[in-house]
Amino acid sequence: MTNHTTEHSTRGAYVNEGEEFNRDTTYIEDRIVADPTASTDGEHQLWAAEAGTYRLVAARACPWANRALIVRRLLGLEDAISVGLPGPTHDARSWTFDLDEGGKDPVLGIERIQDAYFKRFPDYPRGITVPAIVHVESGAVVTNNFPQITEDFAKEWGAFHREGAPDLWPAEQEDEMRQVMKRIYTEINNGVYRCGFAGSQEAYNKAYQRLWDALDWVEERLATRRYLMGDHITEADVRLFTTLVRFDPVYFGHFKCNRQPLTTMPNLWGYARDLFQTPGFGDTVDFQQIKEHYYIVHEDINPTGIVPAGPQLENWLSDHGREALGGSPFNTDAGATAPGPVREGEYVTPGHNPLYPA
């Protein structure tokens, strides 16, 4: 069989016909830290965390970018780091700012995020991905290393956190949390793509089994604890949520992850609704953009480009019952509080989310 490679739109994802899905995980690994001179990270170029210096480019459609939007809002970094929101679809070149007036980002003045990549690396050879952080003055990309971006938001941008910002990386839980997040990433976050972009029936069957083994593990874990690490939200919950919120609208059908919908798994479905109804989570989600991205951009999987009308979304606001397990989203004993209202200009389009009726 001819070894045919098809490029996809999700962080350098690709599939070889007859083979298992692989993901390009080579990113720009520069970091933005509180004090570059005091950092022990000698492997990467370090930039100083300064308010107003950087712009987060994060498409609502993308699960990896959605993480950054959630963490930025939970920590109250809106005044420190502005946000650019590309539209849900793109071509082979990159994400575009087609939702902005004139088709250009109002701060960076560019039509495509690739312009910021090429500003820094004129011959950049890898995927043009979001989230990306751009240095506003130079217009050059700083990093697109999505797991490090949110970890550094929590650990390195503390001087700019809002009063009452939650501790998303509790030190006493970090070792276990990293293990949990690693399994969530390899088996669930990436597992749905492994199913959707499988290059053979054998590869798909293996991917499907791995995904559902992991989802069953999380379903069991959530039977006795309100959140993945216990009584309060952490980064681990952010990382799982962005896959769960896309599961029934996209992954169940489009990626053939169809053993059962999320709504039939009592613990995961209750947990997902609990998070969705928590300020900072559901108010970043645009279901219409999510569906348009996957069903329009993935032409090899959905050649007609038809975007499904369903599923109904009102059930995301139904009672979840997770309070019975104790705990609360924010650790009030440690002074944590919910973020305030969504900032002007950062609302999800009305009708694209049950929190924002048409």
Side-chain angles (χ1 to χ4, degrees):
M1 180 178 292
T2 302
N3 186 27
H4 174 68
T5 301
T6 302
E7 291 295 334
H8 294 285
S9 61
T10 48
R11 304 204 61 84
Y14 65 90
V15 58
N16 289 333
E17 186 176 340
E19 296 181 7
E20 181 178 302
F21 161 82
N22 290 284
R23 182 181 298 279
D24 181 354
T25 57
T26 304
Y27 307 122
I28 302 168
E29 296 187 347
D30 288 14
R31 295 180 58 200
I32 303 173
V33 298
D35 183 0
T37 64
S39 176
T40 59
D41 186 345
E43 297 182 10
H44 310 116
Q45 183 171 337
L46 303 179
W47 303 61
E50 299 170 339
T53 299
Y54 308 98
R55 187 160 175 83
L56 171 67
V57 177
R60 293 193 189 277
C62 171
W64 321 103
N66 197 174
R67 295 181 181 186
L69 293 173
I70 292 170
V71 171
R72 172 179 173 269
R73 177 149 156 65
L74 289 173
L75 298 178
L77 291 172
E78 292 96 332
D79 288 336
I81 309 172
S82 66
V83 68
L85 299 169
T89 62
H90 57 76
D91 57 22
R93 293 169 63 191
S94 79
W95 300 83
T96 61
F97 294 100
D98 52 292
L99 301 179
D100 291 309
E101 185 176 356
K104 291 185 177 182
D105 180 88
V107 172
L108 301 175
I110 57 178
E111 296 180 352
R112 296 171 174 273
I113 185 58
Q114 75 169 12
D115 296 341
Y117 279 76
F118 293 160
K119 185 78 172 181
R120 175 115 183 259
F121 305 105
D123 298 316
Y124 188 73
R126 315 200 77 87
I128 307 294
T129 62
V130 291
I133 296 183
V134 179
H135 184 256
V136 174
E137 183 177 0
S138 68
V141 68
V142 173
T143 179
N144 64 341
N145 188 2
F146 68 96
Q148 193 65 57
I149 286 173
T150 52
E151 182 173 351
D152 284 344
F153 277 177
K155 295 181 177 181
E156 301 293 338
W157 286 80
F160 306 101
H161 289 180
R162 65 178 175 86
E163 184 178 355
D167 181 2
L168 298 178
W169 287 78
E172 68 277 9
Q173 295 180 316
E174 183 167 334
D175 289 346
E176 182 189 2
M177 191 170 81
R178 287 193 182 277
Q179 296 175 19
V180 169
M181 292 191 301
K182 181 178 180 180
R183 187 171 182 183
I184 287 171
Y185 171 71
T186 61
E187 305 305 301
I188 299 176
N189 300 147
N190 202 39
V192 293
Y193 289 91
R194 194 181 293 112
C195 289
F197 293 145
S200 69
Q201 187 68 52
E202 180 182 8
Y204 166 75
N205 291 345
K206 291 179 179 178
Y208 180 92
Q209 188 63 52
R210 285 180 62 178
L211 171 66
W212 283 103
D213 284 348
L215 286 170
D216 287 340
W217 161 69
V218 179
E219 173 76 4
E220 182 178 354
R221 183 179 181 91
L222 291 171
T224 57
R225 64 188 82 198
R226 186 166 178 180
Y227 303 103
L228 283 171
M229 301 309 301
D231 287 342
H232 311 293
I233 59 170
T234 64
E235 170 101 5
D237 299 298
V238 175
R239 296 187 181 194
L240 179 58
F241 172 78
T242 58
T243 295
L244 296 183
V245 82
R246 288 161 174 76
F247 197 86
D248 286 4
V250 174
Y251 303 145
F252 178 82
H254 184 60
F255 278 177
K256 308 176 186 70
C257 303
N258 60 350
R259 190 188 77 179
Q260 62 191 104
L262 179 68
T263 53
T264 66
M265 304 186 75
N267 299 328
L268 272 168
W269 175 227
Y271 165 83
R273 281 176 291 158
D274 189 1
L275 291 176
F276 185 85
Q277 295 168 33
T278 298
F281 285 84
D283 52 34
T284 69
V285 174
D286 189 312
F287 285 105
Q288 185 62 29
Q289 287 195 25
I290 288 168
K291 291 194 296 182
E292 288 178 6
H293 170 69
Y294 287 91
Y295 285 102
I296 293 175
V297 172
H298 298 162
E299 295 177 352
D300 48 348
I301 297 178
N302 186 43
T304 65
I306 295 172
V307 179
Q312 294 294 312
L313 301 172
E314 290 76 10
N315 55 359
W316 280 94
L317 300 183
S318 62
D319 291 341
H320 52 74
R322 298 289 291 177
E323 302 94 337
L325 294 172
S328 61
F330 303 98
N331 185 356
T332 56
D333 290 341
T337 60
V342 175
R343 296 297 180 91
E344 186 71 27
E346 296 188 14
Y347 293 102
V348 172
T349 301
H352 291 191
N353 177 323
L355 292 168
Y356 300 92

